[in-house]
Amino acid sequence: MTNIVIDNIRKSFGPFQALKDVSLTINDGEFVSLLGPSGCGKTTLLRIIAGLETATSGDISIGGRSVIGLPPKDRGLAMVFQNYAVFPHMTVYENVAFGLRMQKADEARVRKQVEKAAGLLHIEPYLDRYPNKLSGGQRQRVAVARALAVEPGVLLMDEPLSNLDALLRLEMRTELKTVLQSAGTTTIYVTHDQTEAMGLSDRIAVVHDGRIEQVGTPVEIYNHPATRFVGGFIGNPPMNFITMPVLAGQVAIGSESFSVPTSSGDIVLGLRGETVERAPSGQGLEMQVRVAEPMGSHLLLTGSILDQPARVILPATETVRNGETVGLTLDAKRVTWLSPEDGVSYPAAA
Amino acid sequence: MSTARNAGFISARRLLLWSGIVALCAWVLVPIYLVALGALGGRSGVYQWPKTILPTNVSLQPFILFLKTEGVFQSFLNSLGAAGITVTLSILLGAPAGYALARYDFRGKDSFRLLVLLTRAFPLAILALPLTVSFIRLGLYDTVVGVGLIHTVLALPFAALVTQGIFLGVPRELEEAAWVFGCTRIQAFFKIVAPLALPGLVATAVFAFVISWNEVFAASVLTVRHRTLTAYLLTVLSESPMHYRFAGGLLLILPSVVFIFAVRRYLFAIWGISSK
């Protein structure tokens, strides 16, 4: 059992609070991403788990054992670094074997493990080379193989793909998923790239300003963001937020009315751009289209709804002219209602 | 038309570049050449005017005589000893200081760096008398160890600041990776950092050696009988004929030139890093 329990971790750098009482439980064999913009504290949290940074307060246990105060080497984990951190004065073979050698594994086991990891990452042809003869993608494979070779209880990855070019990143992402699924290791993956987090993770923890805003499966987080930040950060285009008046627990949209979780005042409609359909003319939620961009696979409309900026996506088969007003039909199951005061969403309707 | 002007521009740049190179080379090489000419030309060659390009009646006799001079061999050993102490101490003390400066943030780090440099701000001439008195008291006066210690003082600031640059050049991530994969801090230093910093450390050592080897003033003041080569030659040669002085000078230049030539690549490397 190598579950990870993060309990009220706080980290201050002088007056600056990088992490504000973060708690998170990661189950055995689970792949969890820490997703957030740069400077949100996600890398700090990962480094605290690894033992490269000390928490100001709070507790972390790995496999039921508190690791606070233990040096990195005694925490039973492996890590993949953003800049690969492949040792330049060692061959690829020795790099992959490094962790095993430090564990004083016998030569037969070292060879077996190195060959297995090299096979998974397709780096067998380079085992005798030095890292300076490898491309960035190949170095990253070496770094992942080095981490997998020790068969760690926990694998930590700190933006492992961010230094690769876009094409290679996509390829490595798919490959990582296959490799890590077969390894079944508990993994924490730090990224600012939502597509990486969505594609790879069992669960995503969205980190913002030193706090975890929401933890959930990629689909949950996408469809029902817990806060305005999460909705705006995830999805491309980001979620639209439109403030509307509430009358007797109802919001009137076109000829329809939606019942909402508050009885009066204002409420914010969180609307994913691609969940709408075009309504027959003169009906639905009115959108003034400023620019219509045919993207091939879909039609992207930028404009305003109730004088608030909005972006929606219609099927490529629709035609809309710049300046036209279109009506949109909403799917009540796929909208999120948020409080206008604190930006927190109301629980999804059952 | 424009290509012709372009070509003219390029050749003007090349001319500038090459005249610069020639001037710099001449600045360094002409004095050495003149010393060599004086040393090889024998008694008459030194005073000959105009100078010939190649020395006339070449003779190695001054060199042989010079090497046979009483005390030269012993002072050569003294120089080696003092330089050895300088190299050992400035690496053993300077490299950890450089590592601490490169890797840790501590209160007073900048003042510390400044203080390290300030040790060079006191002219040795002012310190000479108090140093001599203290050395006599401590029994270090007129010993190779004493000279080695003073040379260490001269080389240490350089060693600490240059090794800081060298250690900064080894990415911190590599060390962290070593910790994660089973190393203690000490193991990570010797398995990862030290091998990668080695060329720079060797260059630093050689530079410390050259500082000690070339130093005359402190060595002359602090020794009487156990002189280093430079200090010994200064006294002996002032009473010798001109061509012996040149021969001695030439022989003194050689070790530094050879050493610096041997590690020139690493010197460029450490200067490149520390200028960041």
Side-chain angles (χ1 to χ4, degrees), chain A residues 288-339:
Chain A
Q288 283 76 43
V289 178
R290 194 158 46 85
V291 186
E293 295 165 274
M295 309 301 282
S297 61
H298 60 267
L299 179 68
L300 175 65
L301 306 181
T302 307
S304 57
I305 296 173
L306 297 175
D307 290 328
Q308 296 163 64
R311 265 200 181 141
V312 303
I313 285 171
L314 291 180
T317 48
E318 299 282 349
T319 49
V320 176
R321 288 185 316 276
N322 292 352
E324 193 178 340
T325 298
V326 295
L328 304 170
T329 312
L330 271 50
D331 181 347
K333 289 201 194 73
R334 296 184 72 185
V335 300
T336 303
W337 299 102
L338 304 96
S339 149

Short mmCIF file of all heavy atoms in Angstrom, two decimals, chain A residues 288-339:
data_model
loop_
_atom_site.label_atom_id
_atom_site.label_comp_id
_atom_site.label_asym_id
_atom_site.label_seq_id
_atom_site.Cartn_x
_atom_site.Cartn_y
_atom_site.Cartn_z
N GLN A 288 -24.81 38.36 -29.26
CA GLN A 288 -24.39 39.25 -30.33
C GLN A 288 -22.99 38.81 -30.77
O GLN A 288 -22.04 38.87 -30.00
CB GLN A 288 -24.32 40.71 -29.86
CG GLN A 288 -25.67 41.39 -29.73
CD GLN A 288 -26.42 40.94 -28.48
OE1 GLN A 288 -25.83 40.83 -27.42
NE2 GLN A 288 -27.71 40.64 -28.62
N VAL A 289 -22.89 38.31 -32.01
CA VAL A 289 -21.62 37.78 -32.50
C VAL A 289 -20.78 38.91 -33.07
O VAL A 289 -21.23 39.63 -33.95
CB VAL A 289 -21.87 36.70 -33.57
CG1 VAL A 289 -20.54 36.18 -34.11
CG2 VAL A 289 -22.70 35.58 -33.00
N ARG A 290 -19.60 39.06 -32.52
CA ARG A 290 -18.69 40.07 -33.07
C ARG A 290 -17.85 39.46 -34.19
O ARG A 290 -17.73 40.01 -35.27
CB ARG A 290 -17.81 40.62 -31.94
CG ARG A 290 -17.07 41.89 -32.27
CD ARG A 290 -16.69 42.65 -31.00
NE ARG A 290 -16.12 41.77 -29.99
CZ ARG A 290 -14.84 41.44 -29.95
NH1 ARG A 290 -14.02 41.89 -30.85
NH2 ARG A 290 -14.39 40.64 -29.01
N VAL A 291 -17.26 38.30 -33.90
CA VAL A 291 -16.43 37.61 -34.89
C VAL A 291 -16.84 36.15 -34.94
O VAL A 291 -17.02 35.52 -33.91
CB VAL A 291 -14.93 37.70 -34.52
CG1 VAL A 291 -14.08 37.12 -35.65
CG2 VAL A 291 -14.52 39.12 -34.21
N ALA A 292 -17.01 35.64 -36.16
CA ALA A 292 -17.25 34.22 -36.33
C ALA A 292 -16.05 33.62 -37.05
O ALA A 292 -15.66 34.09 -38.12
CB ALA A 292 -18.52 33.99 -37.14
N GLU A 293 -15.42 32.62 -36.42
CA GLU A 293 -14.21 32.04 -37.02
C GLU A 293 -14.46 30.57 -37.35
O GLU A 293 -14.61 29.75 -36.44
CB GLU A 293 -13.03 32.14 -36.03
CG GLU A 293 -12.63 33.58 -35.74
CD GLU A 293 -11.74 33.68 -34.51
OE1 GLU A 293 -12.26 33.75 -33.39
OE2 GLU A 293 -10.51 33.64 -34.70
N PRO A 294 -14.52 30.22 -38.65
CA PRO A 294 -14.63 28.80 -38.99
C PRO A 294 -13.29 28.11 -38.78
O PRO A 294 -12.30 28.49 -39.39
CB PRO A 294 -15.00 28.82 -40.49
CG PRO A 294 -14.91 30.25 -40.92
CD PRO A 294 -14.38 31.08 -39.81
N MET A 295 -13.23 27.15 -37.83
CA MET A 295 -11.96 26.52 -37.48
C MET A 295 -11.78 25.17 -38.19
O MET A 295 -10.84 24.45 -37.89
CB MET A 295 -11.88 26.29 -35.96
CG MET A 295 -12.18 27.51 -35.12
SD MET A 295 -11.08 28.88 -35.46
CE MET A 295 -9.64 28.36 -34.58
N GLY A 296 -12.70 24.84 -39.10
CA GLY A 296 -12.59 23.55 -39.76
C GLY A 296 -13.41 22.52 -39.03
O GLY A 296 -14.44 22.07 -39.50
N SER A 297 -12.96 22.17 -37.81
CA SER A 297 -13.70 21.16 -37.05
C SER A 297 -14.92 21.76 -36.38
O SER A 297 -15.86 21.07 -36.03
CB SER A 297 -12.80 20.53 -36.00
OG SER A 297 -12.35 21.53 -35.10
N HIS A 298 -14.91 23.06 -36.14
CA HIS A 298 -16.05 23.72 -35.49
C HIS A 298 -16.05 25.20 -35.86
O HIS A 298 -15.14 25.69 -36.54
CB HIS A 298 -15.98 23.53 -33.98
CG HIS A 298 -14.72 24.11 -33.38
ND1 HIS A 298 -13.60 23.34 -33.18
CD2 HIS A 298 -14.41 25.35 -32.96
CE1 HIS A 298 -12.64 24.10 -32.65
NE2 HIS A 298 -13.11 25.32 -32.51
N LEU A 299 -17.10 25.87 -35.41
CA LEU A 299 -17.24 27.30 -35.67
C LEU A 299 -17.14 28.03 -34.34
O LEU A 299 -17.91 27.76 -33.42
CB LEU A 299 -18.60 27.57 -36.33
CG LEU A 299 -18.94 29.02 -36.67
CD1 LEU A 299 -18.04 29.54 -37.78
CD2 LEU A 299 -20.40 29.12 -37.08
N LEU A 300 -16.15 28.93 -34.22
CA LEU A 300 -15.93 29.63 -32.95
C LEU A 300 -16.56 31.02 -33.03
O LEU A 300 -16.22 31.80 -33.92
CB LEU A 300 -14.43 29.73 -32.66
CG LEU A 300 -14.02 30.53 -31.42
CD1 LEU A 300 -14.53 29.85 -30.16
CD2 LEU A 300 -12.51 30.68 -31.37
N LEU A 301 -17.47 31.31 -32.11
CA LEU A 301 -18.13 32.62 -32.08
C LEU A 301 -17.65 33.42 -30.88
O LEU A 301 -17.67 32.93 -29.76
CB LEU A 301 -19.65 32.46 -31.99
CG LEU A 301 -20.32 31.59 -33.04
CD1 LEU A 301 -21.84 31.56 -32.81
CD2 LEU A 301 -20.02 32.10 -34.46
N THR A 302 -17.20 34.66 -31.14
CA THR A 302 -16.80 35.54 -30.05
C THR A 302 -17.73 36.74 -30.08
O THR A 302 -17.96 37.32 -31.13
CB THR A 302 -15.35 36.01 -30.24
OG1 THR A 302 -14.54 34.86 -30.41
CG2 THR A 302 -14.86 36.80 -29.03
N GLY A 303 -18.25 37.09 -28.90
CA GLY A 303 -19.16 38.22 -28.87
C GLY A 303 -19.62 38.46 -27.46
O GLY A 303 -18.83 38.35 -26.52
N SER A 304 -20.92 38.77 -27.28
CA SER A 304 -21.39 39.01 -25.92
C SER A 304 -22.79 38.47 -25.72
O SER A 304 -23.60 38.40 -26.65
CB SER A 304 -21.34 40.51 -25.63
OG SER A 304 -22.12 41.19 -26.58
N ILE A 305 -23.03 38.04 -24.47
CA ILE A 305 -24.36 37.61 -24.04
C ILE A 305 -24.73 38.52 -22.89
O ILE A 305 -23.96 38.63 -21.92
CB ILE A 305 -24.34 36.14 -23.60
CG1 ILE A 305 -23.98 35.23 -24.78
CG2 ILE A 305 -25.70 35.75 -23.00
CD1 ILE A 305 -23.76 33.79 -24.41
N LEU A 306 -25.90 39.16 -22.96
CA LEU A 306 -26.32 40.11 -21.93
C LEU A 306 -25.21 41.12 -21.63
O LEU A 306 -24.90 41.42 -20.48
CB LEU A 306 -26.72 39.38 -20.64
CG LEU A 306 -27.92 38.44 -20.73
CD1 LEU A 306 -28.12 37.71 -19.41
CD2 LEU A 306 -29.17 39.20 -21.13
N ASP A 307 -24.55 41.59 -22.68
CA ASP A 307 -23.47 42.58 -22.60
C ASP A 307 -22.26 42.09 -21.82
O ASP A 307 -21.46 42.89 -21.32
CB ASP A 307 -23.98 43.89 -21.97
CG ASP A 307 -24.93 44.61 -22.92
OD1 ASP A 307 -24.71 44.47 -24.15
OD2 ASP A 307 -25.87 45.25 -22.44
N GLN A 308 -22.12 40.75 -21.69
CA GLN A 308 -20.94 40.21 -21.04
C GLN A 308 -20.19 39.34 -22.04
O GLN A 308 -20.81 38.61 -22.81
CB GLN A 308 -21.35 39.41 -19.79
CG GLN A 308 -22.01 40.30 -18.74
CD GLN A 308 -22.77 39.49 -17.71
OE1 GLN A 308 -22.20 38.72 -16.97
NE2 GLN A 308 -24.09 39.64 -17.70
N PRO A 309 -18.87 39.44 -22.07
CA PRO A 309 -18.10 38.74 -23.11
C PRO A 309 -18.35 37.24 -23.06
O PRO A 309 -18.46 36.65 -21.99
CB PRO A 309 -16.64 39.06 -22.78
CG PRO A 309 -16.65 39.55 -21.37
CD PRO A 309 -17.99 40.17 -21.15
N ALA A 310 -18.42 36.63 -24.24
CA ALA A 310 -18.70 35.19 -24.29
C ALA A 310 -18.07 34.58 -25.53
O ALA A 310 -17.85 35.26 -26.54
CB ALA A 310 -20.21 34.95 -24.29
N ARG A 311 -17.77 33.31 -25.45
CA ARG A 311 -17.25 32.53 -26.57
C ARG A 311 -17.99 31.22 -26.62
O ARG A 311 -18.03 30.52 -25.61
CB ARG A 311 -15.77 32.23 -26.34
CG ARG A 311 -14.90 33.23 -27.01
CD ARG A 311 -13.52 32.70 -27.18
NE ARG A 311 -12.80 33.79 -27.81
CZ ARG A 311 -11.56 34.11 -27.51
NH1 ARG A 311 -10.89 33.40 -26.66
NH2 ARG A 311 -11.00 35.12 -28.11
N VAL A 312 -18.58 30.91 -27.76
CA VAL A 312 -19.23 29.62 -27.85
C VAL A 312 -18.81 28.91 -29.13
O VAL A 312 -18.23 29.52 -30.04
CB VAL A 312 -20.79 29.72 -27.81
CG1 VAL A 312 -21.25 30.42 -26.56
CG2 VAL A 312 -21.30 30.42 -29.06
N ILE A 313 -19.10 27.62 -29.17
CA ILE A 313 -18.69 26.80 -30.29
C ILE A 313 -19.93 26.15 -30.89
O ILE A 313 -20.77 25.58 -30.16
CB ILE A 313 -17.68 25.73 -29.83
CG1 ILE A 313 -16.33 26.37 -29.59
CG2 ILE A 313 -17.57 24.60 -30.84
CD1 ILE A 313 -15.33 25.47 -28.93
N LEU A 314 -20.08 26.28 -32.19
CA LEU A 314 -21.19 25.63 -32.90
C LEU A 314 -20.59 24.63 -33.89
O LEU A 314 -19.41 24.72 -34.23
CB LEU A 314 -22.04 26.67 -33.64
CG LEU A 314 -22.86 27.63 -32.77
CD1 LEU A 314 -23.65 28.59 -33.65
CD2 LEU A 314 -23.80 26.85 -31.84
N PRO A 315 -21.41 23.68 -34.34
CA PRO A 315 -20.89 22.73 -35.34
C PRO A 315 -20.41 23.46 -36.60
O PRO A 315 -20.90 24.55 -36.92
CB PRO A 315 -22.11 21.85 -35.66
CG PRO A 315 -23.03 22.03 -34.51
CD PRO A 315 -22.77 23.38 -33.94
N ALA A 316 -19.45 22.87 -37.28
CA ALA A 316 -18.86 23.49 -38.47
C ALA A 316 -19.88 23.68 -39.57
O ALA A 316 -19.69 24.48 -40.49
CB ALA A 316 -17.69 22.65 -38.96
N THR A 317 -20.99 22.96 -39.47
CA THR A 317 -21.99 23.05 -40.53
C THR A 317 -22.83 24.34 -40.46
O THR A 317 -23.48 24.71 -41.41
CB THR A 317 -22.95 21.86 -40.44
OG1 THR A 317 -23.36 21.73 -39.07
CG2 THR A 317 -22.27 20.58 -40.88
N GLU A 318 -22.80 25.00 -39.29
CA GLU A 318 -23.55 26.25 -39.16
C GLU A 318 -22.83 27.39 -39.88
O GLU A 318 -21.61 27.37 -40.01
CB GLU A 318 -23.67 26.63 -37.67
CG GLU A 318 -24.40 25.62 -36.82
CD GLU A 318 -25.92 25.70 -37.01
OE1 GLU A 318 -26.36 26.68 -37.64
OE2 GLU A 318 -26.62 24.80 -36.54
N THR A 319 -23.61 28.38 -40.33
CA THR A 319 -22.96 29.59 -40.86
C THR A 319 -23.51 30.79 -40.11
O THR A 319 -24.71 30.94 -39.94
CB THR A 319 -23.22 29.78 -42.37
OG1 THR A 319 -24.62 29.63 -42.59
CG2 THR A 319 -22.45 28.80 -43.20
N VAL A 320 -22.59 31.60 -39.63
CA VAL A 320 -22.96 32.82 -38.89
C VAL A 320 -22.12 33.95 -39.44
O VAL A 320 -20.93 33.78 -39.69
CB VAL A 320 -22.69 32.63 -37.37
CG1 VAL A 320 -22.98 33.93 -36.62
CG2 VAL A 320 -23.52 31.49 -36.80
N ARG A 321 -22.77 35.13 -39.66
CA ARG A 321 -22.01 36.28 -40.15
C ARG A 321 -21.58 37.13 -38.98
O ARG A 321 -22.22 37.15 -37.93
CB ARG A 321 -22.88 37.11 -41.10
CG ARG A 321 -23.12 36.47 -42.45
CD ARG A 321 -23.88 37.44 -43.38
NE ARG A 321 -24.99 38.11 -42.69
CZ ARG A 321 -26.20 37.57 -42.56
NH1 ARG A 321 -26.45 36.38 -43.05
NH2 ARG A 321 -27.15 38.26 -41.96
N ASN A 322 -20.48 37.84 -39.15
CA ASN A 322 -20.04 38.80 -38.14
C ASN A 322 -21.14 39.81 -37.90
O ASN A 322 -21.74 40.31 -38.85
CB ASN A 322 -18.78 39.54 -38.59
CG ASN A 322 -17.58 38.63 -38.66
OD1 ASN A 322 -17.65 37.47 -38.23
ND2 ASN A 322 -16.47 39.13 -39.20
N GLY A 323 -21.44 40.13 -36.62
CA GLY A 323 -22.45 41.13 -36.30
C GLY A 323 -23.84 40.57 -36.18
O GLY A 323 -24.76 41.27 -35.74
N GLU A 324 -24.03 39.31 -36.53
CA GLU A 324 -25.37 38.71 -36.47
C GLU A 324 -25.72 38.38 -35.01
O GLU A 324 -24.84 38.23 -34.16
CB GLU A 324 -25.34 37.40 -37.28
CG GLU A 324 -26.71 36.80 -37.56
CD GLU A 324 -26.58 35.54 -38.41
OE1 GLU A 324 -25.52 35.38 -39.07
OE2 GLU A 324 -27.50 34.73 -38.39
N THR A 325 -26.98 38.31 -34.69
CA THR A 325 -27.40 37.86 -33.36
C THR A 325 -27.97 36.46 -33.49
O THR A 325 -28.84 36.21 -34.33
CB THR A 325 -28.48 38.81 -32.79
OG1 THR A 325 -27.89 40.10 -32.65
CG2 THR A 325 -28.96 38.33 -31.44
N VAL A 326 -27.44 35.52 -32.69
CA VAL A 326 -27.94 34.15 -32.77
C VAL A 326 -28.58 33.78 -31.44
O VAL A 326 -28.21 34.29 -30.37
CB VAL A 326 -26.82 33.13 -33.10
CG1 VAL A 326 -26.27 33.38 -34.49
CG2 VAL A 326 -25.71 33.17 -32.07
N GLY A 327 -29.54 32.85 -31.51
CA GLY A 327 -30.16 32.32 -30.31
C GLY A 327 -29.52 30.99 -29.94
O GLY A 327 -29.18 30.19 -30.81
N LEU A 328 -29.29 30.76 -28.65
CA LEU A 328 -28.63 29.54 -28.21
C LEU A 328 -29.53 28.77 -27.25
O LEU A 328 -30.13 29.34 -26.34
CB LEU A 328 -27.32 29.87 -27.50
CG LEU A 328 -26.31 30.70 -28.31
CD1 LEU A 328 -25.17 31.16 -27.42
CD2 LEU A 328 -25.78 29.90 -29.50
N THR A 329 -29.59 27.46 -27.43
CA THR A 329 -30.34 26.60 -26.52
C THR A 329 -29.37 25.99 -25.51
O THR A 329 -28.32 25.49 -25.89
CB THR A 329 -31.03 25.46 -27.29
OG1 THR A 329 -31.69 26.01 -28.42
CG2 THR A 329 -32.00 24.73 -26.40
N LEU A 330 -29.73 26.08 -24.24
CA LEU A 330 -28.87 25.54 -23.18
C LEU A 330 -29.32 24.15 -22.76
O LEU A 330 -30.52 23.85 -22.80
CB LEU A 330 -28.91 26.46 -21.96
CG LEU A 330 -27.92 27.60 -21.91
CD1 LEU A 330 -27.92 28.40 -23.19
CD2 LEU A 330 -28.21 28.51 -20.72
N ASP A 331 -28.38 23.33 -22.32
CA ASP A 331 -28.71 22.02 -21.77
C ASP A 331 -28.63 22.16 -20.24
O ASP A 331 -27.55 22.33 -19.68
CB ASP A 331 -27.69 20.98 -22.27
CG ASP A 331 -27.99 19.59 -21.74
OD1 ASP A 331 -28.81 19.49 -20.80
OD2 ASP A 331 -27.39 18.64 -22.24
N ALA A 332 -29.80 22.10 -19.59
CA ALA A 332 -29.86 22.38 -18.15
C ALA A 332 -28.92 21.48 -17.35
O ALA A 332 -28.43 21.86 -16.29
CB ALA A 332 -31.29 22.21 -17.65
N LYS A 333 -28.66 20.26 -17.86
CA LYS A 333 -27.79 19.34 -17.12
C LYS A 333 -26.32 19.72 -17.22
O LYS A 333 -25.51 19.26 -16.43
CB LYS A 333 -27.97 17.92 -17.67
CG LYS A 333 -29.30 17.29 -17.33
CD LYS A 333 -29.18 15.77 -17.45
CE LYS A 333 -30.54 15.10 -17.45
NZ LYS A 333 -31.26 15.31 -18.75
N ARG A 334 -25.99 20.51 -18.21
CA ARG A 334 -24.57 20.78 -18.44
C ARG A 334 -24.17 22.22 -18.12
O ARG A 334 -23.14 22.68 -18.55
CB ARG A 334 -24.21 20.44 -19.89
CG ARG A 334 -24.39 18.94 -20.17
CD ARG A 334 -23.94 18.57 -21.54
NE ARG A 334 -22.48 18.61 -21.67
CZ ARG A 334 -21.84 18.43 -22.82
NH1 ARG A 334 -22.53 18.19 -23.92
NH2 ARG A 334 -20.53 18.48 -22.87
N VAL A 335 -25.02 22.92 -17.38
CA VAL A 335 -24.60 24.26 -16.96
C VAL A 335 -24.28 24.22 -15.46
O VAL A 335 -24.71 23.34 -14.74
CB VAL A 335 -25.67 25.33 -17.23
CG1 VAL A 335 -25.99 25.40 -18.71
CG2 VAL A 335 -26.92 25.07 -16.39
N THR A 336 -23.44 25.18 -15.06
CA THR A 336 -23.06 25.29 -13.66
C THR A 336 -23.55 26.64 -13.16
O THR A 336 -23.43 27.65 -13.86
CB THR A 336 -21.52 25.21 -13.54
OG1 THR A 336 -21.09 24.00 -14.14
CG2 THR A 336 -21.08 25.24 -12.09
N TRP A 337 -24.11 26.64 -11.95
CA TRP A 337 -24.54 27.91 -11.36
C TRP A 337 -23.58 28.30 -10.26
O TRP A 337 -23.24 27.49 -9.40
CB TRP A 337 -25.96 27.79 -10.80
CG TRP A 337 -26.97 27.45 -11.87
CD1 TRP A 337 -27.51 26.24 -12.12
CD2 TRP A 337 -27.53 28.36 -12.83
NE1 TRP A 337 -28.38 26.31 -13.19
CE2 TRP A 337 -28.41 27.60 -13.65
CE3 TRP A 337 -27.36 29.72 -13.11
CZ2 TRP A 337 -29.13 28.15 -14.70
CZ3 TRP A 337 -28.09 30.28 -14.15
CH2 TRP A 337 -28.96 29.49 -14.95
N LEU A 338 -23.12 29.55 -10.29
CA LEU A 338 -22.16 29.99 -9.29
C LEU A 338 -22.68 31.20 -8.55
O LEU A 338 -23.46 32.00 -9.09
CB LEU A 338 -20.81 30.36 -9.93
CG LEU A 338 -20.12 29.30 -10.79
CD1 LEU A 338 -20.43 29.51 -12.26
CD2 LEU A 338 -18.62 29.31 -10.56
N SER A 339 -22.20 31.33 -7.31
CA SER A 339 -22.57 32.50 -6.53
C SER A 339 -21.79 33.71 -7.03
O SER A 339 -20.58 33.61 -7.24
CB SER A 339 -22.25 32.22 -5.05
OG SER A 339 -21.90 33.42 -4.41
#
